[in-house]
Amino acid sequence: MNNKIKSFFLLFLSVTILGSCESELDLQPEDNREVPGQLLNDSAAYKQFLAKLYAGLAVSGQEGPAGNPDLLGLDEGFSQYLRLYWMLQELPTDEALIGWNDGTIADLHGQNWTSGNEFIRTMYSRIMYQIAQANEYIRQSSDANLSANGIDESQFTEVQQFRAEARFLRALSYYHAMDLYGNPPFINEDSPVGAFLPEQIQRADLFNYIESELLDIEGKVVAAGQNEYGRADQAAVWTLLAKLYLNAEVYTGTPRYSEVLTYTQKVIDAGYTLVDDYEKLFLADNDVNGAQNEIIFPIRFDGLNTNSYGGLTFVIHASIGGDMDPEEFGVNSGWAGLRTTPEFVSLFPDGADSADGREMFYTEGQNLEVNTISNFADGYAVGKFKNVDVNGNQGSDATGEHVDTDFPLFRLGDVYLMYAEAAFRSNTNMVQAVDYINELRERAYGEGNGLITASAINNNFLINERGRELYWEAHRRTDLIRFNRFTENAVWAWKGDVPQGTTTAAYRNLFPIPASDLGVNTNLTQNPGY
């Protein structure tokens, strides 16, 4: 998808979102809009509505960066989908901590959150809102409703492809709900329209639902690599299936590694290629600089047309402080918040003959140890994401406030590592697994350095290599849980809210169902431990 299509993401269709399961009294979707039948009168309108679903991952309202929110009662910056998801996946881990004292944000890294934590609650709200919108799209794009809305039968095929994409986006949000909260409320296009109390679905049942949805749309979405960049195709469906199966033992108690090998290989065979330079994946022109051939499914950002204080605007600004020059990162200021822990820094070789090119720490004026979280100089900064292109030119927003850098939610490097992990865990295809890992390490080290053999692959290597390749890409919490190292069996600075870190109780592998929703929906039961 080119810059013209980026701009199209702001052509949001305002429709009535009915049947939302968000029951918090101060978080109500706006509903002073026309009814769908008045607006969905041709396939272009359905594409505009679809654009709103995609944009729900990148922005949090109808105009940027604030002023007409999707959900009332929320700050539009911190309530943005990707910002919240990134925080819940990264801040409780060894990869990131933040020096701010906004509300209960410090409790995320300390792993001492409660069911009243506003960041956990707001991610839950955002997921449920996104699912409700997707449900309405799916409901309105049935053949019966297409006919009722006056859509010509010649346009049915195109709209049904849009519908498959909406089902993918709903499956993606349900995957996030299952991974983060375990047993969320469940609604789909067949749920009642209007206010009601949704039933709770159990994690294993939700796994089965997500699997069935993805398998059903596998042949209905656009072929791999044939959709506009930024929109879901078969490869996005296959990647989400692979992620589902890779974590199946966590979600259901039953491993599914043979399916991981099947679906990762489908992606690999679809023609994606590693970009030559790792840094290109995280620059403002990563949609055109070659990285787009590695990125399977991005969350798109545009400094002029998708203004938000969430997403990578947040990550880039918040990772800059101390002696760092914001201009080098293509922005106008640093918010001095995000850094990493010394334990994560130790994953990269120190004093080796060759350097790992994936290491992008900023160390000048920074202390390795984190003695005081609120002091930005404590902890190495991370300069991975930038709002400049391959030539160092700033992104499209001349003010330097908002960024163009797309977030690589799914990419081939991750798929290679998923294949390798599944091969190791099932003791099959290890020759191929080594080849895929070495493709990544050849890029990281260059000149034939850093290569491994099968004997080097074990649990320690795999979780550490995933950290080196994928840090700050919103994988770490899920990965650590799968390797049983998130709560009980690993420590890092300020985990458990103590300087040296401590283990925490295993029940924190799941976030709590927000207390505010439990207080309204009597069908919900809290996760154990909270």
Side-chain angles (χ1 to χ4, degrees):
M1 192 182 300
N2 56 25
N3 287 334
K4 181 177 180 181
I5 300 299
K6 266 193 177 182
S7 302
F8 178 66
F9 272 6
L10 257 265
L11 297 176
F12 303 152
L13 182 67
S14 296
V15 298
T16 304
I17 305 301
L18 300 175
S20 170
C21 67
E22 175 52 59
S23 54
E24 298 171 37
L25 298 181
D26 61 337
L27 303 180
Q28 295 300 318
E30 298 203 54
D31 57 8
N32 55 337
R33 303 166 186 169
E34 298 177 80
V35 297
Q38 296 174 289
L39 296 166
L40 298 173
N41 51 20
D42 59 28
S43 62
Y46 277 92
K47 189 172 185 180
Q48 290 175 324
F49 189 0
L50 183 66
K52 171 61 178 176
L53 299 185
Y54 280 103
L57 302 175
V59 297
S60 51
Q62 315 310 312
E63 60 186 64
N68 189 6
D70 291 325
L71 298 172
L72 298 177
L74 301 176
D75 176 271
E76 284 192 67
F78 90 69
S79 70
Q80 189 270 325
Y81 195 112
L82 178 58
R83 176 169 173 171
L84 288 162
Y85 184 64
W86 191 96
M87 289 195 301
L88 295 192
Q89 285 288 84
E90 294 291 350
L91 291 183
T93 78
D94 58 339
E95 286 189 354
L97 51 76
I98 195 164
W100 301 344
N101 196 32
D102 296 358
T104 57
I105 197 169
D107 293 345
L108 296 179
H109 190 77
Q111 290 198 15
N112 56 2
W113 53 73
T114 70
S115 61
N117 184 285
E118 66 265 43
F119 299 95
I120 294 170
R121 181 185 73 240
T122 307
M123 179 79 258
Y124 176 94
S125 301
R126 181 58 63 184
I127 288 172
M128 292 300 114
Y129 178 76
Q130 186 77 359
I131 289 168
Q133 290 203 99
N135 282 339
E136 184 64 15
Y137 189 99
I138 295 161
R139 187 179 292 117
Q140 291 298 325
S141 56
S142 68
D143 285 352
N145 276 332
L146 290 178
S147 296
N149 291 339
I151 304 298
D152 190 273
E153 287 190 11
S154 65
Q155 298 178 320
F156 274 29
T157 299
E158 181 181 35
V159 176
Q160 290 307 319
Q161 287 184 333
F162 297 162
R163 190 176 199 251
E165 291 178 57
R167 290 174 68 187
F168 167 81
L169 293 172
R170 179 176 65 180
L172 177 66
S173 287
Y174 264 130
Y175 172 79
H176 292 157
M178 177 183 63
D179 184 68
L180 296 169
Y181 303 99
N183 312 300
F186 180 78
I187 54 171
N188 63 15
E189 70 273 23
D190 297 323
S191 298
V193 174
F196 72 102
L197 299 178
E199 297 291 334
Q200 190 168 27
I201 189 169
Q202 296 304 298
R203 203 180 205 187
D205 295 329
L206 185 52
F207 177 99
N208 292 336
Y209 171 78
I210 297 168
E211 179 189 26
S212 66
E213 280 289 285
L214 294 173
L215 291 175
D216 188 64
I217 65 174
E218 179 183 358
K220 297 177 181 178
V221 296
V222 176
Q226 299 304 306
N227 213 341
E228 297 169 299
Y229 172 77
R231 289 173 58 190
D233 60 13
Q234 279 184 325
V237 173
W238 294 334
T239 305
L240 186 52
L241 273 167
K243 287 189 169 295
L244 190 72
Y245 292 132
L246 185 65
N247 294 285
E249 191 166 8
V250 173
Y251 302 146
T252 71
T254 303
R256 302 282 294 274
Y257 298 119
S258 63
E259 289 94 337
V260 179
L261 294 173
T262 296
Y263 282 97
T264 52
Q265 193 63 58
K266 281 177 177 284
V267 176
I268 293 166
D269 291 342
Y272 292 91
T273 56
L274 297 181
V275 66
D276 59 344
D277 184 346
Y278 180 78
E279 292 189 32
K280 289 181 179 179
L281 286 160
F282 315 107
L283 298 179
D285 59 349
N286 60 356
D287 58 335
V288 295
N289 66 16
Q292 77 275 13
N293 298 319
E294 179 172 344
I295 297 173
I296 297 162
F297 185 70
I299 297 177
R300 303 222 62 191
F301 292 96
D302 183 292
L304 297 178
N305 296 303
T306 52
N307 290 351
S308 168
Y309 287 110
L312 287 180
T313 291
F314 157 71
V315 173
I316 293 173
H317 278 279
S319 63
I320 300 168
D323 295 334
M324 302 171 75
D325 182 359
E327 187 175 344
E328 293 182 7
F329 293 83
V331 294
N332 56 14
S333 64
W335 298 349
L338 295 171
R339 292 98 71 205
T340 193
T341 69
E343 289 78 12
F344 183 72
V345 173
S346 71
L347 299 188
F348 290 87
D350 183 25
D353 292 336
S354 60
D356 189 329
R358 299 170 294 190
E359 179 185 330
M360 298 187 205
F361 301 131
Y362 187 94
T363 62
E364 183 178 348
Q366 300 294 126
N367 305 311
L368 175 62
E369 301 299 325
V370 183
N371 295 312
T372 306
I373 292 183
S374 60
N375 178 11
F376 186 83
D378 279 1
Y380 284 177
V382 175
K384 184 170 182 175
F385 291 98
K386 296 180 180 179
N387 183 40
V388 296
D389 65 16
V390 292
N391 298 312
N393 299 312
Q394 184 184 58
S396 60
D397 180 8
T399 71
E401 189 75 357
H402 301 287
V403 308
D404 287 351
T405 314
D406 295 339
F407 186 81
L409 191 67
F410 297 163
R411 63 178 177 90
L412 184 62
D414 180 22
V415 172
Y416 278 176
L417 291 174
M418 288 196 289
Y419 182 101
E421 183 182 334
F424 170 76
R425 291 182 184 273
S426 59
N427 195 28
T428 57
N429 300 15
M430 286 301 293
V431 172
Q432 187 64 76
V434 170
D435 286 345
Y436 289 150
I437 290 173
N438 279 338
E439 283 193 49
L440 297 174
R441 292 179 69 83
E442 170 67 27
R443 176 171 69 179
Y445 286 86
E447 300 180 353
N449 295 309
L451 304 184
I452 64 156
T453 62
S455 62
I457 300 179
N458 54 37
N459 281 325
N460 282 339
F461 174 84
L462 287 167
I463 186 61
N464 293 342
E465 190 68 9
R466 285 190 64 82
R468 288 184 285 262
E469 177 69 26
L470 299 167
Y471 67 100
W472 280 35
E473 295 179 53
H475 299 284
R476 191 61 167 176
R477 172 190 160 275
T478 301
D479 288 347
L480 289 173
I481 290 170
R482 188 172 65 257
F483 282 84
N484 197 22
R485 300 185 182 193
F486 182 62
T487 51
E488 294 180 299
N489 298 308
V491 298
W492 48 80
W494 293 99
K495 179 184 176 183
D497 206 27
V498 295
Q500 71 277 14
T502 187
T503 58
T504 54
Y507 74 83
R508 294 193 181 276
N509 288 339
L510 278 178
F511 289 112
I513 303 296
S516 52
D517 212 27
L518 283 170
V520 175
N521 188 349
T522 55
N523 293 324
L524 302 181
T525 300
Q526 182 59 278
N527 291 326
Y530 294 103

